[in-house]
Amino acid sequence: MLRRLLDLFEKSGTVDNNSRKQYQKTSLARGLFLSIRYLLVVLVFCLGTWTVSSPAEAAVNQYVRRYLDVAEPVAIAVDGKGETKLFNGEDLSVGIKLFSQNCQMCHVGGTNLIDPTVSLSLKRLAKATPPRDNLNGFIAFMRQPKTYDGKDDSFSCRKVRESWIPQEEIEKLAAFVIRAAQKGPGWGTEDLF
């Protein structure tokens, strides 16, 4: 717009060549200033993206990140025979969410409000029959709850059907409970009183 005005004034004889050169210098300076400003915006964006945590890290629950020590994927026992499966922070964050939505009312902090003598501590999970300190054992219990000694059906815990929590999700829930039992401070504490 300014250029058109200068052209109009130059044709009418109101603007001399010095004014035109001054405008060109000013336009060059403005263009350079804008280019530098855009370059700075791009640099700040790139550095911010590089230094700020990635979306994957942001999806990790604070409890999982802080207390369960899951900076790298962790191996959770699949069975009592040494087979393991890796779970990352995102997996365990899905697990804690499922636990909060479905289990926490009776098992807050890994305790057992229905039977306080049988918590979700690693020691108690390992001594159950069959042992529940591995994915297969814990998932089998959730799918078909049994008493601690494994002799009878347990009616104090809800049966978790595949249609309710699919296999992939229930593995994450079980992995969260097992990892919390391994690392969570105070998880499954039975000596509350």
Side-chain angles (χ1 to χ4, degrees):
M1 173 98 171
L2 190 56
R3 177 174 278 182
R4 286 185 193 159
L5 283 174
L6 281 173
D7 286 341
L8 182 65
F9 285 126
E10 189 175 0
K11 287 180 186 174
S12 68
T14 338
V15 174
D16 59 1
N17 278 342
N18 286 338
S19 298
R20 185 133 184 91
K21 287 178 186 176
Q22 183 66 27
Y23 166 75
Q24 288 172 344
K25 286 180 186 177
T26 306
S27 293
L28 180 63
R30 281 188 188 147
L32 189 57
F33 175 74
L34 285 175
S35 296
I36 291 171
R37 193 167 78 181
Y38 289 127
L39 180 62
L40 285 173
V41 167
V42 168
L43 277 171
V44 167
F45 175 78
C46 290
L47 286 173
T49 303
W50 183 57
T51 58
V52 174
S53 61
S54 70
E57 290 177 14
V60 177
N61 177 285
Q62 288 295 328
Y63 179 83
V64 169
R65 182 177 308 180
R66 184 169 182 185
Y67 296 110
L68 302 188
D69 193 26
V70 189
E72 297 292 322
V74 294
I76 303 291
V78 171
D79 51 29
K81 300 173 186 164
E83 185 181 346
T84 61
K85 183 171 181 177
L86 292 176
F87 291 88
N88 62 30
E90 288 178 20
D91 296 330
L92 296 181
S93 295
V94 169
I96 195 173
K97 181 178 179 186
L98 289 166
F99 182 85
S100 296
Q101 293 170 342
N102 301 290
C103 312
Q104 186 167 297
M105 289 187 333
C106 296
H107 300 288
V108 64
T111 62
N112 187 342
L113 299 177
I114 306 299
D115 183 358
T117 63
V118 183
S119 72
L120 297 177
S121 70
L122 195 58
K123 179 178 101 177
R124 290 292 187 175
L125 291 172
K127 289 186 178 181
T129 304
R132 299 171 189 160
D133 62 342
N134 60 70
L135 290 175
N136 290 347
F138 197 80
I139 292 169
F141 170 77
M142 287 191 287
R143 295 283 192 218
Q144 184 62 52
K146 297 280 186 188
T147 55
Y148 190 69
D149 61 10
K151 292 180 180 177
D152 299 310
D153 288 340
S154 172
F155 299 104
S156 64
C157 202
R158 296 181 289 173
K159 182 187 266 188
V160 181
R161 300 186 195 291
E162 176 86 22
S163 59
W164 176 17
I165 300 179
Q167 185 65 24
E168 183 180 335
E169 289 183 352
I170 204 166
E171 285 181 5
K172 293 174 183 178
L173 188 148
F176 162 72
V177 170
I178 293 167
R179 185 63 177 184
Q182 293 170 343
K183 293 283 188 177
W187 180 266
T189 303
E190 296 169 0
D191 308 332
L192 294 176
F193 303 102

